[in-house]
C-alpha cells in the first residue's frame, strides 16, 4: 500500500502533466496551507483585475477546467464512499467500522453537493487527459478486496485512508485556487475542513492500529 507521499506523488505527476500543479506537499501540511493561502491571494488579485477590465479570465489557471476539477473531486468522493462500504463489511475493529460508515455518509454527501452544483452551473464532468486518480482508485479497491478480513484489513484500510485523504486534501487546496468560478470555489472551501477532519481521524486510528503501538 503506497504511503501518503507516494500517493501524493501519483496525483501530482498526473496533474502536473495537465498543467495543474507545481508541487504536492503531503509531507508538510503547514507548508501546504501557507502555499495555498499565498496562491489564494494571487488568485484574488487576478480575479479583481479581471473584474476591473469587465472581462473574465481568458482561461482557468493551472490548465485544469472546472469540468476537470468537478470530475476529479467526484471520483475521489465516489472512491472513498465505495471503500468505506467495503470496509464497513470487512473491518473487525469497532472504531474502524465506525470510521468506514462515516466515510460512506460524508463522502456521499460531498459527492451529491458536487453533482448538484455541476448541474446548476451546466458543467459536464470531464477527467483530464491523464487522469491521476483512476489508476490509484483501481489499485485501492483491488487491494482491499484481496486483503482478508481481520486486523490486517483494518490496518491496510486505514493506511490507505491516511494516504488518500492527504492526497485529496492537497488536490482540493490546489483546485480552489485554480477555479475562477465563485460557486465551485465556495463548495471546495466547505469540503476542505471535512477532508482534513477525516485525515486527522484516520491518522489517530493508524497510530492505534500500528503493530508497534
Amino acid at each position: 500500500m503506497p504511503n501518503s507521499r507516494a500517493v501524493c506523488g501519483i496525483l501530482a505527476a498526473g496533474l502536473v502533466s495537465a498543467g495543474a500543479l507545481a508541487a504536492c506537499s503531503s509531507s508538510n501540511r503547514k507548508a501546504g496551507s501557507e502555499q495555498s493561502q499565498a496562491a489564494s491571494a494571487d488568485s484574488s488579485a487576478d480575479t479583481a483585475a479581471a473584474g476591473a477590465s469587465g472581462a473574465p479570465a481568458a482561461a482557468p489557471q493551472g490548465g485544469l477546467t472546472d469540468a476537470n476539477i468537478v470530475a476529479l473531486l467526484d471520483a475521489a468522493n465516489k472512491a472513498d464512499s465505495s471503500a468505506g462500504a467495503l470496509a464497513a463489511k470487512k473491518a473487525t475493529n469497532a472504531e474502524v467500522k465506525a470510521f468506514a460508515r462515516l466515510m460512506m455518509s460524508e463522502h456521499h454527501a460531498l459527492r451529491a453537493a458536487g453533482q448538484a452544483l455541476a448541474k446548476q452551473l451546466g458543467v459536464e464532468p470531464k477527467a483530464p487527459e491523464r487522469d491521476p486518480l483512476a489508476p490509484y482508485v483501481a489499485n485501492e479497491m483491488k487491494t482491499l478486496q484481496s486483503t482478508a478480513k481481520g486486523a490486517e484489513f483494518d490496518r491496510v484500510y486505514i493506511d490507505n485512508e491516511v494516504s488518500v485523504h492527504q492526497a485529496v486534501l492537497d488536490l482540493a487546496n490546489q483546485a480552489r485556487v485554480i477555479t475562477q468560478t465563485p460557486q465551485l470555489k465556495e463548495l471546495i472551501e466547505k469540503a476542505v475542513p471535512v477532508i482534513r477532519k477525516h485525515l486527522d481521524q484516520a491518522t489517530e486510528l493508524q497510530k492505534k492500529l500500528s503493530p508497534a503501538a
Side-chain angles (χ1 to χ4, degrees):
M1 177 63 58
N3 59 27
S4 59
R5 185 172 298 177
V7 175
C8 189
I10 293 171
L11 285 171
L15 291 174
V16 165
S17 69
L21 298 180
C24 191
S25 53
S26 65
S27 61
N28 190 324
R29 281 193 285 163
K30 182 178 179 182
S33 175
E34 292 172 350
Q35 181 180 12
S36 293
Q37 290 172 1
S40 295
D42 292 341
S43 176
S44 298
D46 291 342
T47 302
S53 66
Q61 291 184 349
L64 282 186
T65 65
D66 284 352
N68 296 153
I69 293 171
V70 168
L72 288 170
L73 295 178
D74 184 72
N77 284 317
K78 178 182 179 181
D80 214 0
S81 182
S82 297
L86 181 59
K89 296 178 181 178
K90 295 184 68 174
T92 53
N93 180 285
E95 290 184 273
V96 173
K97 290 179 78 70
F99 178 81
R101 288 192 291 268
L102 181 67
M103 295 306 98
M104 291 172 61
S105 173
E106 296 197 348
H107 279 284
H108 175 76
L110 288 174
R111 189 183 185 204
Q115 291 175 335
L117 180 60
K119 184 176 181 180
Q120 176 188 329
L121 296 175
V123 174
E124 184 69 27
K126 181 181 180 182
E129 185 176 351
R130 296 184 180 181
D131 187 339
L133 279 177
Y136 181 74
V137 167
N139 181 70
E140 170 195 14
M141 289 307 295
K142 181 179 179 180
T143 299
L144 293 178
Q145 289 168 348
S146 64
T147 303
K149 183 176 182 178
E152 178 62 19
F153 177 89
D154 295 345
R155 285 193 294 269
V156 168
Y157 172 63
I158 292 301
D159 284 348
N160 177 78
E161 288 300 287
V162 170
S163 299
V164 76
H165 277 92
Q166 181 61 73
V168 173
L169 179 61
D170 290 334
L171 169 62
N173 279 326
Q174 293 291 338
R176 65 178 174 176
V177 174
I178 292 168
T179 183
Q180 298 299 294
T181 303
Q183 298 96 318
L184 181 54
K185 187 184 294 288
E186 181 181 7
L187 179 76
I188 296 171
E189 288 175 345
K190 289 180 178 178
V192 164
V194 178
I195 299 168
R196 185 177 292 113
K197 178 191 72 173
H198 293 170
L199 173 60
D200 291 342
Q201 290 174 324
T203 300
E204 285 304 308
L205 279 172
Q206 186 181 52
K207 293 175 182 177
K208 293 181 180 181
L209 296 173
S210 172

